[in-house]
Amino acid sequence: MSDVIIGLEVHCQLNKLNSKLFCGCSTRQQGLEPNVMTCPVCLGLPGALPVINKKAVEYAIMVGLALNCKIAEHTQFYRKNYYYPDLPRGFQITQYDYPIAFDGVLTVDTDGEERPIRIRRVHMEEDPGRLVHQGSIETSKFVLVDYNRSGMPLLEVVTEPDLRSPKEARRFINKLRNILEYLDVFDGSLEGALRVDANVSLKGGARVEIKNISSYKGVERALLFEISRQQNMRRRGIRVVQETRHYDDERNCTITLRTKEQAEEYRYYPEPDLVPLAVKSWESELKGRLPELPDAKRERFKRQYGISDSHAKVLTAEIRVANYYERVAERCDPRMAATWVADYLKGELNYRDRDIRDAFPPEKMVYILEQLSNGTITDKGAVEVIRALLDEGGDPKDIILARNLAKVETDITRAAVAEVLKENQAAIMDYKAGKAQAFNYLVGMVMKKTGGRADPAEVNLLLRESLECT
C-alpha cells in the first residue's frame, strides 16, 4: 500500500476527570438516563458562562509531553461555528491557532520496524451531545439527542499524513490508547471514549475524511473499505471527490455525508468568555509527574528481568498487564513468569475476548508456577488450571486435586511407554525406517495414556531408551 496516505484525528475523552471541561457536571455519565447530567453551561442556555477545568489543562499538557510534543507558550480557545442538533449553542468551544501542544512524534512498530509518526498538534475541546439513530443513519425515521455527553473534556490528537496502511493506523491508535491509560487520564473501555476521523487518499488523488469511527477495530475496517473504493474508482477512470463520509459499522462501508468543509467555513474566532492561558510555565512541574511510559518500561523489563524484546513488548503494551506481570515476577522466575503471562494467560484471555481485568489474581498465577517449578504439575496441567480459573473460578490447589492434574510418577510413565510400544508396532517400524513423525506419534500416545500428566521430557527420554533396545 505504498501509494496510500492516511492521517488521523483521534478524539479522546479525558474521562478520568471528575467534572466536565467548562462546568461542574460529573463526567460519570455512562449508563445514566438521557439528559440528566446537564446544566445551563453544557446545555448552552443564554447567559451561562464557561469556567475552565484546570485539571483538564494539566492532563492535556501531560499527554503532549508523553507524545514528545512542544508545549505552547500560551494557548487559547476559539468558537467553531456550525449548527447541529448535538451542539445547543450553535458553536463548539475548541482550539484553533494556539493548540496546547504541537510538533510531537510517536513511534509505531510496523512488522518489526519502529517507524516515527509525526504529531501535528494536540488540542482541547468540548464534546458535543450524542445523537441516537434508529437503525442506520440513512434509514432512521428520527434522531434522539442525549446531552449527558455535552461538555465532556476531549483531546484531539492530529497526526501528519504519515501512516501508510490500515494496520499501521490501528497500531498507532492502540499505542496512543496505552499511553493515555499509563497516564491515568483515560479509560478506553468506556463507550465513546475514543473516536477517530480518518483522512485517506491515494497518491495524487483527492482526500476523503471518514467521520466518527467509534471502535478500534472499526478504524482498520473503515480504512480498508475506503482504500478499496478509491482504488476501484481509479481503475475505472472515475475521479474521487473531496468529501466527508460516514462509516457504517454494521454494513462495513462508507457513505457520503457532505462535501468537505474548509476551516474558514467555520468562522473561527477567539472565545470571549475564556482568557488565554500561559501554560509553558506549567511544563516543568508536570513533566516531573509523568509516570514511566510504555517504551521506557519495555526497556526496563528487558534490563531488569532479562526477558526477550517480544515478551517485553506484549507485557508493557497495557499498564494493567505490566502491573500484573511485575506482581508475579517478584515471587517467581521472571522469565518463566513472562512466558506464562504473555503467552499463555494473554492467549487464553484473547480467545475469550476478555482482558487482564477478567483474569484471576496474580497470587494464583504464582501458585501455578510454583507447582510447575517443583514438578507437581506439567505444562499441560498448568494450562488446564488457567483455563478452569478463567471459566469457573476457584482455587488452583483445589482444581489440581479435583481434576487429578498432579504429574504421574516415573514408574507409571515407564509402564505407559511399555504399553504404547507394545500396541504400536507399525509406528516402531516407521521410526526405525527413519520417519521422525513416528516418534512424535508415540510421544502423543504416551501423553494420552497418562492423561497428559507425564513429564514430556521424561517421556522423550524413556521412549528413546526403549526404542534403542527394541
Side-chain angles (χ1 to χ4, degrees):
M1 289 191 174
S2 58
D3 63 339
V4 172
I5 301 170
I6 300 171
L8 298 178
E9 299 169 12
V10 188
H11 300 79
C12 318
Q13 282 184 345
L14 297 176
N15 50 22
K16 287 293 189 83
L17 288 166
N18 291 325
S19 56
K20 294 183 178 179
L21 186 54
F22 299 121
C23 66
C25 289
S26 172
T27 57
R28 312 286 184 267
Q29 38 92 23
Q30 298 281 340
L32 297 180
E33 289 291 315
N35 300 312
V36 296
M37 194 56 73
T38 60
C39 72
V41 174
C42 50
L43 285 177
L45 299 185
L49 298 177
V51 177
I52 187 70
N53 182 335
K54 182 185 175 188
K55 200 78 177 173
V57 181
E58 292 180 354
Y59 280 8
I61 293 173
M62 289 171 68
V63 171
L65 291 170
L67 298 178
N68 305 296
C69 290
K70 298 172 185 169
I71 303 302
E73 287 291 335
H74 76 273
T75 188
Q76 187 169 1
F77 287 96
Y78 278 69
R79 290 186 178 183
K80 180 181 181 183
N81 295 278
Y82 67 100
Y83 175 75
Y84 215 60
D86 58 6
L87 198 64
R89 287 195 203 92
F91 61 85
Q92 181 187 28
I93 301 179
T94 182
Q95 296 192 301
Y96 186 50
D97 282 338
Y98 303 99
I100 197 160
F102 55 95
D103 285 352
V105 66
L106 184 64
T107 57
V108 174
D109 183 6
T110 307
D111 296 327
E113 179 191 354
E114 295 281 340
R115 221 166 66 76
I117 306 300
R118 292 171 296 159
I119 309 291
R120 182 183 299 169
R121 57 188 280 156
V122 177
H123 69 251
M124 308 171 65
E125 63 187 22
E126 60 180 346
D127 212 350
R130 187 170 70 95
L131 299 181
V132 182
H133 298 89
Q134 183 191 40
S136 78
I137 194 171
E138 284 183 305
T139 60
S140 181
K141 294 179 179 175
F142 57 83
V143 179
L144 303 173
V145 188
D146 179 5
Y147 290 111
N148 284 344
R149 201 179 72 179
S150 177
M152 282 288 288
L154 272 188
L155 279 188
E156 182 171 336
V157 178
V158 182
T159 75
E160 296 291 351
D162 290 346
L163 296 152
R164 293 293 173 266
S165 72
K167 185 178 178 182
E168 197 171 69
R170 174 172 55 80
R171 288 182 172 174
F172 174 88
I173 292 167
N174 284 341
K175 186 160 187 181
L176 175 61
R177 170 187 171 159
N178 293 334
I179 287 174
L180 296 174
E181 292 189 335
Y182 265 71
L183 293 169
D184 199 26
V185 301
F186 169 82
D187 181 352
S189 67
L190 298 178
E191 183 187 357
L194 186 145
R195 304 189 297 279
V196 179
D197 298 342
N199 292 289
V200 56
S201 62
L202 303 180
K203 197 171 287 182
R207 177 165 55 93
V208 170
E209 182 179 23
I210 311 171
K211 295 289 284 185
N212 278 327
I213 309 168
S214 57
S215 72
Y216 301 94
K217 292 177 183 173
V219 173
E220 188 170 11
R221 294 174 66 206
L223 287 169
L224 281 169
F225 175 86
E226 181 57 26
I227 291 166
S228 174
R229 186 186 73 87
Q230 293 186 24
Q231 288 172 333
N232 286 335
M233 291 180 72
R234 177 171 282 184
R235 270 194 293 271
R236 291 155 58 196
I238 302 172
R239 187 173 64 87
V240 175
V241 298
Q242 183 170 328
E243 62 177 343
T244 299
R245 298 179 70 87
H246 166 77
Y247 176 62
D248 187 323
D249 204 5
E250 289 188 6
R251 293 189 296 163
N252 188 31
C253 65
T254 64
I255 53 178
T256 297
L257 276 181
R258 53 187 180 267
T259 54
K260 178 68 181 164
E261 306 88 350
Q262 302 299 321
E264 54 268 25
E265 295 178 54
Y266 289 113
R267 295 169 52 246
Y268 284 93
Y269 64 86
E271 167 57 58
D273 294 326
L274 293 167
V275 297
L277 298 169
V279 290
K280 184 69 175 174
S281 59
W282 302 19
E283 180 178 350
S284 175
E285 192 262 333
L286 291 171
K287 190 178 282 186
R289 285 162 51 183
L290 290 180
E292 184 182 41
L293 295 170
D295 288 346
K297 195 180 285 287
R298 175 175 154 191
E299 292 305 313
R300 178 173 68 79
F301 274 20
K302 286 166 31 184
R303 192 173 58 249
Q304 180 175 341
Y305 298 118
I307 63 177
S308 67
D309 184 62
S310 60
H311 275 155
K313 195 181 296 182
V314 172
L315 293 169
T316 57
E318 299 173 48
I319 182 66
R320 298 182 189 89
V321 175
N323 292 340
Y324 187 102
Y325 166 71
E326 292 217 87
R327 288 181 62 187
V328 177
E330 66 188 15
R331 294 173 57 188
C332 293
D333 174 3
R335 280 176 285 194
M336 183 185 195
T339 299
W340 280 87
V341 175
D343 296 343
Y344 292 97
L345 179 58
K346 280 275 291 176
E348 294 294 334
L349 286 168
N350 289 341
Y351 175 74
R352 290 163 178 77
D353 198 22
R354 292 155 66 181
D355 68 29
I356 197 74
R357 286 173 291 191
D358 303 314
F360 44 84
E363 292 72 23
K364 292 186 179 181
M365 178 60 88
V366 170
Y367 181 83
I368 295 169
L369 298 188
E370 285 174 348
Q371 301 313 300
L372 194 57
S373 296
N374 64 25
T376 301
I377 57 175
T378 62
D379 285 10
K380 187 173 185 297
V383 171
E384 191 164 337
V385 175
I386 289 172
R387 288 175 178 166
L389 285 169
L390 291 176
D391 294 337
E392 302 158 24
D395 184 84
K397 185 177 181 181
D398 295 340
I399 293 169
I400 291 169
L401 287 173
R403 302 193 179 203
N404 196 23
L405 295 176
K407 192 165 73 178
V408 296
E409 300 294 334
T410 301
D411 288 349
I412 296 175
T413 305
R414 196 185 299 280
V417 168
E419 285 180 34
V420 166
L421 291 179
K422 187 177 177 182
E423 295 166 0
N424 293 277
Q425 291 299 315
I428 295 173
M429 297 291 287
D430 287 343
Y431 174 74
K432 299 275 188 189
K435 293 183 179 177
Q437 62 268 36
F439 184 81
N440 295 333
Y441 171 77
L442 292 169
V443 171
M445 295 306 293
V446 175
M447 295 303 292
K448 183 178 179 183
K449 200 170 273 291
T450 57
R453 296 186 297 130
D455 180 349
E458 189 173 55
V459 171
N460 271 271
L461 180 65
L462 292 174
L463 260 178
R464 290 195 189 281
E465 286 177 354
S466 299
L467 285 167
E468 285 176 7
C469 301
T470 303

